[in-house]
Amino acid sequence: MTSTAEDEVVDLCSDLIRIPSVNTGDPSTIGDQEAVAAKYIQQKLEEVGYRTEYAESVPGRGNVVARLAGADPSRGALLIHGHVDVVPANAAEWTVDPFSGAVQDGYVWGRGAVDMKDMVAMTLAVARDLKRRNVIPPRDLIFCFVSDEEAGGVYGAEWLVDHRPEWFTGATEAISEVGGFSINVDPERRAYLVAAAEKGVAWATLTATGKAGHGSMIAEDNAVTRIAEAVARLGRHEFPISRTATVDAFLAAVTELTGMEFPDDDLEGAIGKLGPVSKIVNATLRNTANPTMLSAGYKANVIPSTAQATVDCRVLPGQVDSFKAEVAEIVGDGVDIDWFISPPLEYPWEGALVEAMKAAIRHEDDNGHPIPYMLSGGTDNKAFSRLDIAGYGFSPLRLPADLDFSSLFHGVDERVPVDALRFGVRVLDRLLVNC
Ligand SMILES: [Zn+2]
């Protein structure tokens, strides 16, 4: 027997994709479509009896929340959050209209199909079904849908943490995007990668100062030369491999499943044999620093007194302070560093929630093996960590063996299998009634 949630998840996903809630990152070009999406969700929640709250950080940037009371209020609440915004799509490159939500060839197509209107639709379908069935979950469930994840959550999760913290009262753990999807280990068995950690984002603005002067003169203290040297040193620097608890747990699980070994003296080589997933894992072995922006000067014959560069650094859990010190040493004297930090996260691969996630996957897939991994990017879990909420990446999808899933994120012809959505609904439902 299929549930109502399974029956409606595809329509919900298509409806959401048809709302072009594009987040360009430039507030002047962003309309009100995130608000339209949030209000669509609000209406779907209220239709089955939820009380909701809705808030716009600025006009058009909508966020909505609902709570389902659990049996044991003394247990911390579980937050299930999803972002309603999507990155832009160039229709000329696509097989279908990226905002059509078309259902064809067993897939729902469109921008957001995997990032992350799939999970938003699954969550909404399960939330509606729990309410219709009058289910009392073991602990409070908080369903929250937010704007602006694709541009750092300033008008979404970060804003809510600062301005609506009461929406999350009692929450101790969360689940959301970029995890819970399957990767075939062999034709029969699938690993389900659950994100238990995220690297931190550390953007460094380097400023070199020197002596301003005429470009024809001998200049020993040139800010442009100094910033160029600092950027080159930092960009070429290879940070050492550092094995974290999550990466170790990932590798141990892969060894158990496949017999593959991961020796310290050729870790990257061994990981390279893992196929498409190796790119993700290799990015979580070490800290990185990629120069991305440079700016200095205004006229060919004027030596400027300052020069600036931006370096996109990504930092492993527990290493922010030591990393900052290391970078300062590499760039050297005469260069100031200004940091924007969004912290790394790492949570235990054990406990009641983790066990419930594992059990829910295994129940729906006899050959499914949940294993933890670290995300090299960041999600709204970083914002919610400011409220001491431990966030995991768990948007369960059972995927076909030949689907290159990670390339669909922000990619052309983004699409999600209909069967995967229905699978995800079954897993989420099982998780939420047993969490
Ligand atoms: Zn996303």
Side-chain angles (χ1 to χ4, degrees), residues 233-305:
R233 273 197 302 274
L234 188 52
R236 289 221 178 84
H237 186 80
E238 190 175 85
F239 292 88
I241 287 179
S242 174
R243 293 177 68 142
T244 52
T246 302
V247 170
D248 272 345
F250 170 85
L251 295 175
V254 174
T255 299
E256 200 181 313
L257 271 176
T258 64
M260 285 173 73
E261 300 285 350
F262 299 96
D264 273 334
D265 58 3
D266 186 27
L267 191 54
E268 283 166 302
I271 287 170
K273 292 174 192 144
L274 289 175
V277 75
S278 60
K279 229 167 88 180
I280 304 171
V281 181
N282 271 327
T284 61
L285 292 180
R286 56 174 96 236
N287 300 319
T288 56
N290 281 311
T292 49
M293 294 162 77
L294 280 171
S295 92
Y298 54 91
K299 197 165 183 299
N301 61 355
V302 178
I303 300 168
S305 59

Side-chain angles (χ1 to χ4, degrees), residues 83 115-116 149-150 177:
H83 64 84
D115 186 10
M116 64 171 293
E149 192 277 340
E150 296 292 358
E177 62 178 334

Side-chain angles (χ1 to χ4, degrees), residues 83 85 114-117 149-150 176-178 378-379 409-410:
H83 64 84
D85 60 320
V114 304
D115 186 10
M116 64 171 293
K117 288 176 170 175
E149 192 277 340
E150 296 292 358
S176 190
E177 62 178 334
V178 215
T379 71
F409 282 77
H410 300 191

Side-chain angles (χ1 to χ4, degrees), residues 78-79 81 172-179 194-198 345-351 353-354 357 372 379 381 389-395:
L78 176 66
L79 168 65
H81 61 94
T172 53
E173 292 171 309
I175 58 168
S176 190
E177 62 178 334
V178 215
V194 180
E198 294 182 4
L345 309 176
E346 188 163 47
Y347 298 114
W349 186 240
E350 58 185 23
L353 176 64
V354 166
M357 289 192 285
T379 71
N381 277 328
I389 298 170
Y392 293 84
F394 189 75
S395 300

